[in-house]
Amino acid sequence: MLKKLLIISYFLSCTTLFAQHDEAKELMKDAECMSCHNNEDFAVKKGKVESFKKLSQTIDACRFGNDADWFDDESHDVAKYLNHKFYKFKE
Ligand code: HEC
């Protein structure tokens, strides 16, 4: 199991940023994230998502709450994608 995860993360780390963003978009489509959200939801708001860590945690809360079947790596890709596109936190 661990070996399989290592292989998967090896391949993920080899993909280009572009492919990662494409994949993140697909993941969010499959998990129907945008059935509750629109782009305006993803912005820095006081007292809420104010760091990359907090962003990752919120995404985890949302994916567990909605039974999205993601690997942690995939969740991380989505966090990076949303951060790159909207939040612009330092990672
Ligand atoms: C059933 C509705 C629902 C679905 C589906 C959903 N979310 Fe959320 N999400 C919420 C609610 C409610 C909040 C909290 C909003 C608040 O407190 O401002 C939230 C907050 C967030 C935030 C923080 C927004 C901010 O900047 O304050 C992110 C990022 C996020 N969700 C990502 C996702 C992702 C990725 C998915 C897909 C796995 C997803 N959500 C699916 C309801 C949903």
Side-chain angles (χ1 to χ4, degrees), residues 7 13 18-20 31 38 51-52 55 68 72 77 85-87:
I7 292 168
S13 62
F18 180 75
Q20 264 177 19
N38 56 35
S51 66
F52 186 70
L55 175 62
D72 286 349
D77 281 351
K85 197 154 180 236
F86 302 107
Y87 294 88

Side-chain angles (χ1 to χ4, degrees), residues 28 31-33 35-37 41-43 45 48-49 55 58-59 62-63 66 68 70 78 82 87:
M28 289 183 67
E32 295 180 354
C33 305
S35 66
C36 287
H37 292 292
D41 284 355
F42 302 137
K45 290 178 219 81
K48 292 214 167 148
V49 174
L55 175 62
T58 315
I59 289 171
C62 264
R63 85 172 152 120
N66 295 289
W70 295 354
V78 172
L82 288 179
Y87 294 88

Side-chain angles (χ1 to χ4, degrees), residues 20-31:
Q20 264 177 19
H21 287 179
D22 252 17
E23 198 179 296
K25 263 190 257 175
E26 276 301 305
L27 284 166
M28 289 183 67
K29 206 169 110 210
D30 287 350

